[in-house]
Amino acid sequence: MGAVRTGRMPRAVREQQMLDAVVQIFGRRGHTAASMDEIAELAGISEPLVYLYLNSKEDLFTACIRREAAALTGAVRDGVRPGLSADRQLWEGLRAFFTHTARHPEGWAVLHLQARTHGEPFAAEIAAMRAEIVAFVAELILVAAREAHHDPALPERDVAGLAEALVGAAESLAAWANATPGVTSRQAAATLMNFAWAGLGDLMENRPWSPPVEPARGQGRG
Amino acid sequence: MGAVRTGRMPRAVREQQMLDAVVQIFGRRGHTAASMDEIAELAGISEPLVYLYLNSKEDLFTACIRREAAALTGAVRDGVRPGLSADRQLWEGLRAFFTHTARHPEGWAVLHLQARTHGEPFAAEIAAMRAEIVAFVAELILVAAREAHHDPALPERDVAGLAEALVGAAESLAAWANATPGVTSRQAAATLMNFAWAGLGDLMENRPWSPPVEPARGQGRG
Amino acid sequence: MGAVRTGRMPRAVREQQMLDAVVQIFGRRGHTAASMDEIAELAGISEPLVYLYLNSKEDLFTACIRREAAALTGAVRDGVRPGLSADRQLWEGLRAFFTHTARHPEGWAVLHLQARTHGEPFAAEIAAMRAEIVAFVAELILVAAREAHHDPALPERDVAGLAEALVGAAESLAAWANATPGVTSRQAAATLMNFAWAGLGDLMENRPWSPPVEPARGQGRG
Amino acid sequence: MGAVRTGRMPRAVREQQMLDAVVQIFGRRGHTAASMDEIAELAGISEPLVYLYLNSKEDLFTACIRREAAALTGAVRDGVRPGLSADRQLWEGLRAFFTHTARHPEGWAVLHLQARTHGEPFAAEIAAMRAEIVAFVAELILVAAREAHHDPALPERDVAGLAEALVGAAESLAAWANATPGVTSRQAAATLMNFAWAGLGDLMENRPWSPPVEPARGQGRG
DNA sequence: TATGAATGAGCATTCATTCAT
DNA sequence: CATGAATGAATGCTCATTCAT
């Protein structure tokens, strides 16, 4: 995005430029197929400088994953207002998720596709991030169960499975929404809320989950 | 599995041995990181023989993807009895799916992880297979809607999104079931049917979807 | 030329088929770039059979060179009638040479181009053949000098150089005649006889060497 | 020649070292049989550096051919003084030609033997160079005819054939002079001038072409 | 006589990485 | 801070050749 400035620059800026380039390349080609050459060229610097700043290809990939993971989880966290009911919190989290993945497709590709297909250091990083999100969703489900006055609530393993299912559905819909022209992140979130909260059975009976009317948040795409 | 027979063998046998090895290696490392060396060694043959029979690394990967995709879709197709109601068909399909992915984890890794992260010939192959499955699920949803006497049924795009969500949830649960000790394919399928058919809302109200009692199909299929 | 017969055949026939194929392939691609694969396929037999008959690639090339060299020197020898004057003998030899090289371009390519560019066993073979031809030409020049009543005749080294020059000119004209549409072997031979016998000086003075009228030999192309 | 300097050096120097090595190896073995390994070793560098600077084996061969072709045609051009009569110009050109080929036998081998036996990019390059030389010779012959007051001069095709013959004779004599101890480039040129200008017929009559006495050009050029 | 099965050795090329300046 | 010069180690692929049948 935008012309890369060349010449001497503070280290922090250079590092961000490099990571921007890395996200592009890794997102498109993956870790193994990407060459340091290409990364340095896209970042507008020489190859040795890449090594000077970020020791090795592995460190580069790790840094890239961490930055993108932090950006994604941060976006979701910031999108959720804590006080609301569980389904409203989930709704807001999903909207933030779909919005972020739509805006950062390469970053999402790194996290969802590339990082998982390469040996241990990276897969673990992704697993941690994903576990965090799944735990968040599981917590919401437990809260919802509690709100519905169920004691004992759903068994723990069931909750874990349901959260896994929901997150998997979200990941799938993110790709679908990005690939299907005309599907907004709002629609993707609504589809998923209907599916997850109301279930197909209720949908058959014309009892959808209804998304709340949003007064004035107007974030571009949503 | 087990030591590979050595010595002279007919071509067809060797080709299967090779594809078995390829699934292992590609499933673990991915296309780019896998070396032909390694594959040949695991197959118990010399490298040139791999080229003699399967031409190139790309052809090898393609053949591997095709074989595994055919095995998976075939398993699901064979697991579903056509006459039943939509939810029963979905239930059976999911059981077959989770059983197959649990039994062939490397094959599933090739299809779900590796093939999607490498250039066009492979991603397209996978996209085609996945589209087939999504279409099957979408059809089931439409049938269910028709069975519930709804006219007009759900809008087409909604159905597509729901099917995507369901398939994504299944993919996610397959990994979860494989990674979580003690989770059977039956439980994974039950979790997903609850999630998909009843929805979280109904689950909160203690109205789960109930899996059918299976009379005499035994442990054979999971 | 013509469909290759397949199935069991006497060894001698098979060997000629193989050498025919070898001449084609070596003539076009050269020794190193030609593959045994290709040769076997063009000969219509399996690779091991090639080894059974003609031990190795080197032997194959050697056999090919020998056959083509014998054919060429034989054609020249047969074309020359011994009793004539030196210039007539040269004239007839050149006609035979140009005719043969025009009819067997791949064989000529093997001898003139390919065999000389590959290590010692082959270059020596070619050098021997060429030396034979050069010696024949040198002898003709000596005879001509004797006929002109010169004693002492030209110094030996001069004769050798002149013969080399004449043969080189012939080689060059062979390629030129093959590449230039409309130039017959007769014209090529006439050009060379003029050049060699009369010399540019005489040609400038309009004193060409005149080719004899050939009564009834009419060999197609000449 | 002599041990190659090692250590860090500017790119231009390394490239010349590489091309020097390439001429040796290609001249001896030809394009196909030469290995990049061998070339790098002879140049005193590592293989990757060859690729870094000259891209590929094909580019290497092309660069080598171009350098040697330019050197040869340049030497001939520089050896000829334009004002002289046609035979004197030819004489000087031949002297330069034989001198150059004697001093650069590997380069000459690359041009005359190796480059012609390998596929199209190279053969075309050589054909162009050779055509340039043949055209130069043909022009000299035409000038000579004009000087001799002949109108109409020789037919165009005859001139082309004569030039081809002369160039072929020169090529042949270059190899002969290099292989025959004691034959200088001057003698080779004299032999060829006699052959070409006087012709065998005149030589038989003791009417050779006489090379000019060279006053003070010394041994420098041959 | 003839072939399908199989391989050891080599080769062009690439890439992550280092070092001297 | 930044780079031009340089390389060790792999990797995909080919080929001449052998052997069991």
Side-chain angles (χ1 to χ4, degrees), chain C residues 1-220:
Chain C
M1 317 244 181
V4 172
R5 286 171 52 203
T6 53
R8 305 219 158 191
M9 318 188 41
R11 175 167 185 145
V13 178
R14 272 276 148 89
E15 287 195 347
Q16 288 310 311
Q17 275 185 1
M18 283 175 42
L19 286 180
D20 288 345
V22 168
V23 172
Q24 303 296 318
I25 306 274
F26 280 168
R28 280 197 267 264
R29 296 224 207 314
H31 171 257
T32 321
S35 82
M36 298 297 273
D37 228 7
E38 208 177 0
I39 289 163
E41 187 181 330
L42 186 58
I45 58 183
S46 72
E47 239 185 305
L49 201 56
V50 180
Y51 285 92
L52 192 63
Y53 282 166
L54 289 147
N55 293 309
S56 67
K57 199 187 185 184
E58 221 173 291
D59 286 6
L60 212 57
F61 201 18
T62 304
C64 164
I65 291 173
R66 290 214 176 117
R67 194 182 78 165
E68 297 305 313
L72 175 58
T73 55
V76 172
R77 203 175 3 256
D78 291 353
V80 175
R81 278 169 295 176
L84 303 183
S85 67
D87 61 335
R88 294 297 159 102
Q89 285 193 50
L90 183 57
W91 162 254
E92 292 190 343
L94 288 173
R95 299 230 28 214
F97 174 78
F98 288 122
T99 302
H100 186 87
T101 53
R103 284 193 184 147
H104 304 283
E106 283 95 358
W108 174 238
V110 167
L111 296 175
H112 183 53
L113 292 180
Q114 307 300 351
R116 311 174 86 174
T117 67
H118 301 289
E120 248 325 293
F122 315 126
E125 207 87 30
I126 291 300
M129 175 200 74
R130 205 171 179 278
E132 189 184 329
I133 294 183
V134 170
F136 172 64
V137 171
E139 178 62 22
L140 286 185
I141 295 175
L142 277 176
V143 167
R146 227 174 285 130
E147 284 170 353
H149 304 296
H150 280 289
D151 271 316
L154 299 160
E156 196 176 323
R157 170 172 289 169
D158 284 8
V159 173
L162 293 169
E164 276 286 343
L166 206 163
V167 169
E171 290 166 344
S172 183
L173 282 180
W176 173 73
N178 275 350
T180 309
V183 173
T184 65
S185 64
R186 184 171 221 277
Q187 288 162 345
T191 299
L192 184 46
M193 279 309 290
N194 265 306
F195 179 67
W197 218 263
L200 294 175
D202 279 1
L203 292 179
M204 301 304 136
E205 311 294 335
N206 253 339
R207 291 190 305 220
W209 177 89
S210 12
V213 184
E214 287 182 50
R217 247 196 162 190
Q219 287 274 21

Side-chain angles (χ1 to χ4, degrees), chain A residues 163-176:
Chain A
E164 276 284 344
L166 207 163
V167 169
E171 289 166 344
S172 183
L173 282 180
W176 174 74

Side-chain angles (χ1 to χ4, degrees), chain B residues 24-44:
Chain B
Q24 304 294 321
I25 305 280
F26 278 172
R28 278 198 268 270
R29 298 224 204 313
H31 173 258
T32 320
S35 86
M36 298 297 273
D37 225 8
E38 207 176 3
I39 290 163
E41 188 180 333
L42 185 58

